[in-house]
Amino acid sequence: MKIKSLALQALLIAGLLMASRFTLTASIQPFLVRTYSLSVPSPSRLPKSLPCPLWSSSFSFCLHNLHNSVTSSSIPHFSSCSSISAPSMAASAALDEIPQSNPLLQNFYFPPFDAVEAKHVRPGILTLLKKLEGDLKELERTVEPSWSKLVEPLEKITDRLNVVWGIVNHLKSVKDTADLRIAIEEVQPEKVKFQLRLGQSKPIYNAFKAIRESPEWNTLNDARKRIVESQIKEALLHGVTLEDDKRDKFNKIQQELERLSHKFDENVLDATKKFEKLIVDKHEVDGLPSTALGMAAQTAVSKGHENATSENGPWIITLDAPCYLSVMQHAKNRSLREEVYYAYITRASSGEMDNTSIIDQILKLRLEKAKILNFNNYAEVSMETKMATVEKAEELLEKLRSASWNAAVQDLEDLKDFSKKQGAVEANDLNHWDISFWSERLRESKFDINEEELRPFFSLPKVMDGLFSLAKTLFDIDIESADGLAAVWDKDVKFYRVNNSSGSPIAYFYFDPYTRPSEKRGGAWMDEVVSRSCVLAQDGAPARLPIAHMVCNQTPPVGEKPSLMTFREVETVFHEFGHALQHMLTKQDEGLVAGIRGIEWDAVELPSQFMENWCYHKETLMSIAKHYETGESLPEEVYFKLLTARTFRAGSLSLRQLRFASVDLELHTKYVPGEPELIYAVDQRVCKKTQVLPPLADDKFLCSFSHIFAGGYAAGYYSYKWAEVLSADAFSAFEDAGLNDSKAVKETGHRFRETILALGGGRAPLEVFVEFRGREPSPEPLLRHSGLLPGSAAA
C-alpha cells in the first residue's frame, strides 16, 4: 500500500523521540518499596510456608515521596549496597507488639494470600497506619541529609505500607467480594491521609534538597541522583509547598480522586458481570467454535443449569473477554453480535453503575489539582514524570495517524468487497458488530488460517515451556515450578522460581492465567510483589530478591482439555512476561529505582512489547506450537501464513490505539468540565480523525476506559505507541545480528539484559536505549513490522 512521504514521516517521528526530555523524573509510582526489620532466612533456604517479612505489590500503587527538613549541611559518606547496616532490633521489637492473629500483620516471606479475609482489613490497616505514623514522626525528628538517615528509613516505612495494602489491593482485583469492597472503602481515607502526610513532609523534602545542594552531589552515582531528583519533583507534585487552604483543598481532591477511581473500577466489573444472555436454541450460536460453546456451557452449569453441555446447551453468553471476542469473531447470528457489541460499548453507562458523572468529577478534580500546582491542565502534570511533553506526544500520534489512515481506509474497503462476494446482506452497510466477524472470514480466506483451528497447537503448558526456553536462550536464566512454596489466592495460580546459570534463585513470580468473571477484573497485567533492594536484604544476603505476579484472563481449561489459547492470548502472555523480566532481572542495588521502579511511564512498555515480537520468530513459535494430543508440530506452511498475516489490518489496529491515546490527551488538555461539550462529544470529535467507521451515537466506551480513569494511564495512554517505537527498534537489533545466528542472538540478548532489563530506573530510559542499541531510536522498524512502509513485510 502506498504511503506518501513515509521517509519524511519517519524522520519526524525520530525527531520527536530524540527531543524527549532527559529530565530525572520520578518512578512510575514513586516510593514503591517496603521493609521489615526482621532477620529471616533467605529464599534459597526456606522450607515451605515461610515465616519472614511480608512483601507486596504495586506497580499500580501510587504512593509518593516523602520529604523532611534539615539543619545540618554536612553530608556523611553514602554507603554502598554491600555496607548497608543490618535492620534495627528496635523496629523488630515494634513489630512484635502488633497483634499476630491478623494475617495482614504477621511476618511472612511471601504474602498470606490464602488467609486474608475482608474482616482482617480494617483492624489490620488501622493498626499498621498507627505504627507507621509513629515511625514517620521519628524519622522527621532525626532526619539528616544522608542515605542512611533519610532514604533507608524512608524506604522501610513505605515498604511496610505497600506490603500490606498491596495484598488487599491485589485480592480486590483477583478475588473481589462485596465485603472486601466495604472494608477497603472504610479504611481507604485513612490510608490516603497517611500517604498525603508522608508525601507532604517538609523535613524529608528539605533533606533531599540539601543532598542535591551539597558538595557531595557530584560524587553520587546516577541511580542515587535519579532518586533524589525524582523525590524532589514528586514532592512538589504532591503539594509539599502548598500552605493552609490550598493544601487542605489539594488533600480533599486527592481523597476524592482515590474514592472515585475505585468506584469507577467497581462499576465496570459489576456491569461486565451483570450481562448474561441465556441461549437454548442451537441455531442462535451457529458459528461459535467448540471452545467458546464449552465455556458458555460451563458458565451455564455454574448458574444452575446442571445439564448444560457444549453440544446441546443451554449456553450463557457474557461480556468476559474470551466469550465476547468469540461472539464478535465467529457468531453467524448478526443480531446476537449486535446485542453483545452494544452491551459491551455501553457498560457502566446507565443506572446505579453509570460512570458518566464519575468521569466528569474525575476530570474536574484533576483540572483543579493541576491549577493548584500552577499547571495549565492535568496532562502537563502527567508529563512531568514522563519522557515526552504534551506537544511531542501529540505530534507522534499525528505522524502515526497519517501513516495508518490510508491503510485503514483500504482495510474497510476490503471487508466490504469480500462480504459482498460472500453474499452478505449487510455488505453495503457494515457496522461495528460486523467488522470482527468479516475480518476473521477474510483472514481465513486470504491466509488460509483459522485461529480457532490453531488452538490445539497452543496449549498453555507448551506455551510456558517455550517461553521459558526462550528466556534461557536470551537471558541465561532457568525457570522452574515452585508450587507449594508460597500461598496463592486461587487453585489455578502457579508459582515459579527464576534461577541464574549457577542454579541459585534470583527471583520468583506468580501466574494467574484464567478468566474468572465473577470475581476477577478483566484485562492482563503484571505487578510487583516486592522489588530488589539492598536495604531490605535479610539474613546476610546482598539484596532482597524480587517477586512479581502476572495476571491474564485467557480461556480456561474445558473438560479434560488444557487451556487452548488463541494466538492473541499467546502474545498477551509474552507481553506480561516482558514486564516481569524487567522487574526480576534488575541489577540495581537501590530499591527505589530497581526493576520497573523509577522508569518513565512512556518507556515502561518497551520490554513487554519487545517480547511480543518473539511470537513471530520461527524457532520460538515452532517450539511452543505442539498439538496438545498428538504432539505434532505446527505445519511450517502455517507458520509462514501467520507471519504474512501479522500485518493484516495493521492500519485499523493502529488507529484503534490512536483513538484511545488521542481522546485521553484531549480530555486532559482542552476539555473543560462543565462546558456544553460532553465527554462523549469529545470522543466523537476525536473519532472523525482516528476512525474510518464512525462510532455509534450511543458509544459509551469511555465509561469502561479503566486505563485512564481507574489506572495509571491518565494523559499517558500514548505511552503504548511511544514505547512501541522503542520496542520495535530494540527487536530490530536482533534482526540486524541475525535471528538464525544463535551465537549472535545470545550475545544481543545478553546486551539487552545488561541494559534494558538490568538498569531499571537508575538511568534515563533514552540513555539506556542508546547504550543497548548504539544509537538513538528510529521509527522505521515499527512502520516496517506493521506493514506501513512501501514493500515492507513482517520480519
Side-chain angles (χ1 to χ4, degrees), residues 447-449 454 458 567 613-623 625 633-646 731 739-740 794-795:
F447 305 106
D448 193 23
I449 291 177
L454 293 180
F458 296 120
F567 188 68
N613 288 281
W614 292 100
C615 295
Y616 295 91
H617 176 233
K618 183 179 179 182
E619 184 178 336
T620 300
L621 184 65
M622 299 304 279
S623 73
S633 295
L634 185 76
E636 190 169 274
E637 63 268 22
V638 176
Y639 161 73
F640 286 110
K641 290 173 183 176
L642 277 171
L643 195 62
T644 306
R646 182 180 186 181
F731 186 74
L739 289 172
N740 296 322

Side-chain angles (χ1 to χ4, degrees), residues 266-293:
E266 290 172 359
N267 285 346
V268 174
L269 178 60
D270 290 345
T272 302
K273 289 193 297 184
K274 183 178 180 181
F275 179 88
E276 293 179 358
K277 182 174 177 62
L278 177 66
I279 297 178
V280 296
D281 184 349
K282 195 166 188 175
H283 293 95
E284 289 190 42
V285 293
D286 190 20
L288 287 185
S290 59
T291 305
L293 292 173

Side-chain angles (χ1 to χ4, degrees), residues 20 70 83 237 438 506 530 582 588 698 724 773:
S20 302
V70 230
S83 61
L237 293 177
W438 285 110
I506 57 174
V530 57
Q582 188 171 39
Q588 278 291 353
D698 290 336
E724 199 173 354
R773 198 67 177 94

Side-chain angles (χ1 to χ4, degrees), residues 290-298 310 555-564:
S290 59
T291 305
L293 292 173
M295 282 194 301
Q298 280 191 173
S310 173
T555 309
V558 176
E560 297 300 314
K561 298 179 181 178
S563 173
L564 301 179

Side-chain angles (χ1 to χ4, degrees), residues 661-683:
S662 298
V663 75
D664 171 34
L665 283 181
E666 188 75 13
L667 289 172
H668 289 105
T669 53
K670 302 177 182 67
Y671 176 70
V672 180
E675 293 292 310
E677 186 180 40
L678 300 177
I679 53 172
Y680 305 119
V682 174
D683 184 35

Side-chain angles (χ1 to χ4, degrees), residues 52 66 164 189 211 228 254 264-265 367 396 453 659 727 766:
C52 292
L66 327 87
V164 179
I211 291 176
V228 172
Q254 289 292 90
F264 184 100
D265 205 31
L367 181 59
L396 175 64
E453 292 176 0
R659 172 199 179 182
S727 63
L766 194 51

